[in-house]
Amino acid sequence: MDSTITPEVANHVLSHYGRGGYQAGSLIEQIIKAIDMADPANRDKLALGFPEYVAAVVAIQYDPEGVRNLTAIAQGEVAA
């Protein structure tokens, strides 16, 4: 399973959390919302289809440096 966070994914997740970036389309926004609300077992299931979005949401929720790291990815400064 590839969980590389692309600049587009980073921007979508940052936007969802009001931390910059740009908004995703309605389907992707609903997927991000589902990941955001999911318990660990269901988040693991969502990771089967959307590993990069799950990785980005987990980063912003649980990593103290998550916003900074996603911002760097979104701006093309680093690869995930």
Side-chain angles (χ1 to χ4, degrees):
M1 167 177 8
D2 182 17
S3 61
T4 301
I5 301 169
T6 64
E8 180 178 46
V9 169
N11 275 296
H12 292 166
V13 172
L14 286 166
S15 175
H16 176 78
Y17 287 93
R19 301 305 298 258
Y22 53 81
Q23 188 171 4
S26 59
L27 175 61
I28 296 299
E29 185 58 36
Q30 292 301 314
I31 291 166
I32 295 168
K33 189 181 293 185
I35 296 166
D36 181 28
M37 297 172 52
D39 59 59
N42 284 307
R43 189 173 50 238
D44 288 347
K45 291 176 185 175
L46 288 163
L48 296 174
F50 307 97
E52 65 282 3
Y53 280 99
V54 171
V57 168
V58 166
I60 206 166
Q61 286 182 337
Y62 300 108
D63 181 353
E65 298 295 320
V67 172
R68 186 180 66 74
N69 293 339
L70 289 177
T71 299
I73 294 167
Q75 295 172 349
E77 296 173 8
V78 297

